[in-house]
Amino acid sequence: MGMQMTAHNGDLTVRPTCKPGFSEDDYTALVSQNIVEGQKLLKVKFSDCSETKGIRYETDNLDFKVRTDGTIYATQEVQIPSEQTMFMVTAWDRQALERWETMVRLLVGDKSQHKGHKQKGKRNVSADLFPQPGDVLLPWRHHQNSHGLRRQKRDWVIPPINVPENSRGPFPQQLVRIRSDKDDQILIRYSITGVGADQPPMEVFNIDPISGRMYVTRPMDREERASYHLRAHAVDMNGNKVENPIDLYIYVIDMNDNRPEFINQVYNGSVDEGSKPGTYVMTVTANDADDATTANGMVRYRIVTQTPQSPSQNMFTINSETGDIVTVAAGLDREKVQQYTVIVQATDMEGNLNYGLSNTATAIIMVTDVNDNPPEFTASTYSGEVPENRVEVVVANLTVMDRDQPHTPNWNAVYRIISGDPSGHFTIRTDPVTNEGMVTVVRAVDYEMNRAFMLTVMVSNQAPLASGIQMSFQSTAGVTISVTDVNEPPYFPANHRLIRLEEGVPTGTALTTFSAVDPDRFMQQAVRYSKLSDPANWLSINATNGQITTTAVLDRESANIKNNVYEATFLAADNGIPPASGTGTLQIYLIDINDNAPELLPKEAQICEKPGLNVINITAADADIDPNVGPFVFELPSVPSAIRKNWTITRLNGDYAQLSLRIMYLEAGVYDVPIIVTDSGNPPLFNMSIIKVKVCPCDENGDCTTIGAVAAAGLGTGAIIAILICIIILLTKVLLFVVWMKRREKERHTKQLLIDPEDDVRDNILKYDEEGGGEEDQDYDLSQLQQPESMDHVLNKANGVRRVDERPIGAEPQYPIRPVIPHPGDIGDFINEGLRAADNDPTAPPYDSLLVFDYEGSGSTAGSVSSLNSSSSGDQDYDYLNDWGPRFKKLADMYGGGEED
């Protein structure tokens, strides 16, 4: 049993995708007879089913090698024999330890006669690339062992089917016919599966199920898909497999239908000015989508134009294969040409302009600056002027010229002083904007020492000069600086001058001469002295010669002395224009003399009335210092004799002693005990000091008791008792006064509750004898006096002068009049009489002494005051009016029945 396949005669034999190996049994390439080193010849394809990365290529000819991508190139210059040369390429799998071989032929001939370089056997591809369809019987061999199918030998590999891309048809176009040797026995149906048949892209290929002819249905695009792997199946009419599936490999043959495309349309590069020929600049890259193993995808580069064409029209060249742009001529100068624009063309078909497709890109080459121009001074000499004793003053500006790129290390100037300033009075700083050098004074100059400076300065750049460039003679210059004299203040050579002398020197003693020096030697000036600071006013200074004289006795113990030193400050001023002055400090160290007697400490103390319980520790204080202080001598005076009889002093050490009772008992009280204290000075001084000693009874611990302390203060028992009684009496009086006040307040509240609110007339009576208009009326409830019950007394008023404080006449709501019994002494008549008298008095000013009595507000429920009568009939008791004070005595007499005064 077997199966046959009829196919177009192809020129390539490749392995099935499931079996590793080279795509061709042999490869053929047309080359020139002379091959240069590194020239690419062709590219072999190796298919690896396991996709391992350990494939390594070798050749049996040392003149040629294979890169990892399969590109074969020459390792050195090779001259091919007149016809051809052949060598073997081996692929090693370092993991599986397998090897595959293919033959490579290099033919010497005219490339224009050939469009490709692959061959099957020895047939020429160009002569029989796509023959007309014909039936060729190929056995479908299959061998079996105990495990089934065994590995198929390379001789049995089905040759691939080559289909050119961009074919114009007509479609469908027959590719191959598949036949089984069983088709003469049974009816067989053929089918194909795989990508391009029943998998996307669908129906690129189809097959006649009866005849087994396979067709392509549309034009192919190698750049879209370069190969297809299909499987052919043969089954009977019942669908039973008749033959094992066969693998079909369809390769799309490349056509030159794609131009090279540059990765970038504009490339930017740079090269240093002055670079030597052959200096690398940049690389441009163009990719061609066509097959890189054929001339269709082999790109070559060339430079079309260069702008500007200075100093030469061919300043750069490009490697035709790699796209590397390098310099080819000398003379790059940034100061003349800063940028070049180069148009680069990429052409496929190995650069054949007649057959290849081309594209262009722009390469912009910047000429970068190098320090090939040293800075140069614009003048050979510069000058400046500076006053003496001034710093941080710019005395001269140095200008330079540098043709390098501004504001770069190649342009930035660095100045230094070569000679003329050994003491370092000047420095030169660079202006970052203008690049000028600013000669600046950093150390004050003295006119009396140097009247002028002659400086030699040099300028350079931050970056070193390029190789072969020498410094210019104009990189050095001279700077003349004149110093002007100014009036300098006098100074004291020995400032903070220290002298030593004993305290207590008499007034008028000449201590020293404190003189100043005027640094202006070339000016005839006089110096005068004055006192600036003298805290104790002890000194004076001679205005012309600076002699210091005392005006008082110097006392070391004064508060103005610190650490035995007295400081005074003096001023020395010249008569220059303008005048200048300087100060000096004189320090006087005072040596101590014994001029202060010691003082006894403490001034007060207490002691028990019985000896032995406690003592008084005494010491002394002396304002002097050693050796005019301790040890001290403490003693009791002999007069009066009672002092030594009652007291005794025991010496403890040079500075302390103890005072204690000599007798067995001393009455409590305060005693003045005189003690003589003598120091150790030469001559010694003594002082009699009084210590107040309180003698008091003590407890068992030797501490004075409270009563004892009082007794010791000088108060007897009777005095203490009298003081306590006085305190008790005072507290009793305060308590009785508080009780009386509370009782009176309670009685006042009680009387207020006994009066009927309806009959209480106090709420309806105002103080009419108070001047000022009612400030004191607020102590009463004025709501009861707001509405009069009758206005007859107003309406019946005689014509005359009307007071401005009267209420205007008008209608008012009327309230019921409280029935009253007339009485001759009615208070209302009394008030009305006074009111009429005031109204009829044209000389009375408003608000003089009378209030408005005919209107006291609206809304009162108490009725008018005029409704009151003087009747004394009734059961009402008006005796309580007597308690209201003298102001209500008249009412009390009228209603209470009292007699008038």
Side-chain angles (χ1 to χ4, degrees), residues 784-791 793-794 807 812-815 817 853-860 863-866:
Q784 303 296 324
L785 302 176
Q786 297 301 314
Q787 179 61 45
E789 295 181 357
S790 176
M791 298 186 63
H793 62 283
V794 177
R807 175 182 179 275
E812 291 288 340
Q814 299 297 318
Y815 294 91
I817 300 176
F853 301 117
D854 57 344
Y855 176 70
E856 296 179 349
S858 62
S860 175
S864 175
V865 179
S866 61

Side-chain angles (χ1 to χ4, degrees), residues 548-743:
I548 307 296
T549 307
T550 61
T551 59
V553 177
L554 306 185
D555 185 6
R556 192 201 65 83
E557 290 75 32
S558 171
N560 298 303
I561 302 296
K562 295 182 179 180
N563 299 323
N564 302 327
V565 175
Y566 180 75
E567 283 192 359
T569 305
F570 299 92
L571 183 71
D574 60 20
N575 57 351
I577 300 175
S581 61
T583 60
T585 301
L586 178 66
Q587 295 180 329
I588 304 174
Y589 186 89
L590 295 179
I591 301 172
D592 184 45
I593 62 175
N594 192 20
D595 57 345
N596 292 278
E599 293 288 336
L600 180 69
L601 294 176
K603 298 296 184 180
E604 295 181 355
Q606 63 181 17
I607 193 172
C608 295
E609 58 187 2
K610 294 182 180 180
L613 294 180
N614 56 11
V615 294
I616 300 173
N617 291 325
I618 58 175
T619 185
D622 197 323
D624 295 321
I625 59 175
D626 191 69
N628 297 319
V629 288
F632 300 104
V633 176
F634 302 92
E635 56 183 343
L636 296 173
S638 57
V639 178
S641 60
I643 297 300
R644 291 192 174 185
K645 176 181 178 182
N646 297 336
W647 304 92
T648 182
I649 293 178
T650 303
R651 181 183 178 87
L652 295 178
N653 52 39
D655 296 329
Y656 290 91
Q658 288 183 343
L659 175 65
S660 60
L661 288 174
R662 178 186 293 271
I663 59 179
M664 297 304 296
Y665 173 79
L666 184 63
E667 184 179 357
V670 178
Y671 297 87
D672 292 336
V673 180
I675 298 177
I676 300 174
V677 184
T678 306
D679 59 21
S680 299
N682 186 17
L685 296 180
F686 68 92
N687 182 26
M688 179 180 291
S689 300
I690 303 297
I691 180 173
K692 289 185 175 297
V693 181
K694 296 180 181 179
V695 180
C696 59
C698 299
D699 55 16
E700 62 276 5
N701 297 324
D703 299 327
C704 284
T705 60
T706 303
I707 298 176
V710 175
L715 296 178
T717 303
I720 295 174
I721 294 175
I723 292 174
L724 293 177
I725 292 174
C726 291
I727 293 173
I728 293 173
I729 292 174
L730 180 60
L731 293 176
T732 303
K733 289 183 176 181
V734 172
L735 181 61
L736 291 176
F737 178 76
V738 171
V739 172
W740 177 78
M741 290 295 293
K742 287 187 173 296
R743 182 177 178 183

Side-chain angles (χ1 to χ4, degrees), residues 765-808:
I765 300 175
L766 301 178
K767 299 179 181 179
Y768 297 110
D769 58 343
E770 291 289 334
E771 296 182 357
E775 286 82 0
E776 297 184 4
D777 295 344
Q778 298 177 10
D779 293 337
Y780 302 97
D781 184 7
L782 301 180
S783 64
Q784 303 296 324
L785 302 176
Q786 297 301 314
Q787 179 61 45
E789 295 181 357
S790 176
M791 298 186 63
D792 294 339
H793 62 283
V794 177
L795 298 176
N796 297 329
K797 181 187 295 185
N799 294 332
V801 179
R802 178 168 295 276
R803 298 173 57 87
V804 296
D805 55 352
E806 287 184 357
R807 175 182 179 275

Side-chain angles (χ1 to χ4, degrees), residues 105-117:
R105 289 183 180 87
L106 302 180
L107 301 180
V108 178
D110 186 4
K111 294 185 180 180
S112 63
Q113 299 176 358
H114 305 277
K115 301 296 182 182
H117 59 267

